[in-house]
Amino acid sequence: MNFIIQITLTFFLIQFLLVLTIMVVALLIAQPEVPLFGLGSGRGALSRSFIFVVALPGRMLRTSARLVRLVHAKLTSPAYHF
């Protein structure tokens, strides 16, 4: 039974990573909505997209840490110091 669960979870992990990779590639390749003139303008949009994608894991970690601190503060009883 554990083997079946492990295989299923591995399948879902691989599927998640595949979809995430496709989304990141699509974000990096995406063209800006407003047509820009020249090659340098498109390169700036691509570099901004790349910087945004690279910064996502750090932002997720900070948000998760903030959420953990909030939940921990709500679950622990307040200590009154006199």
Side-chain angles (χ1 to χ4, degrees), residues 7-81:
I7 293 295
T8 306
L9 290 176
T10 304
F11 170 75
F12 284 124
L13 176 66
I14 291 171
Q15 187 177 11
F16 171 74
L17 291 175
L18 181 66
V19 170
L20 183 67
T21 303
I22 291 170
M23 288 177 16
V24 166
V25 169
L27 179 63
L28 289 175
I29 295 175
Q31 297 295 323
E33 294 181 13
V34 179
L36 301 172
F37 299 105
L39 296 174
S41 301
R43 185 173 294 158
L46 182 64
S47 67
R48 284 192 303 275
S49 295
F50 183 72
I51 291 169
F52 176 77
V53 169
V54 168
L56 279 178
R59 292 168 65 187
M60 286 191 303
L61 284 174
R62 285 193 300 272
T63 304
S64 299
R66 190 179 315 134
L67 182 63
V68 166
R69 284 193 303 267
L70 177 70
V71 170
H72 181 69
K74 294 286 184 185
L75 293 178
T76 57
S77 61
Y80 296 102
H81 300 283

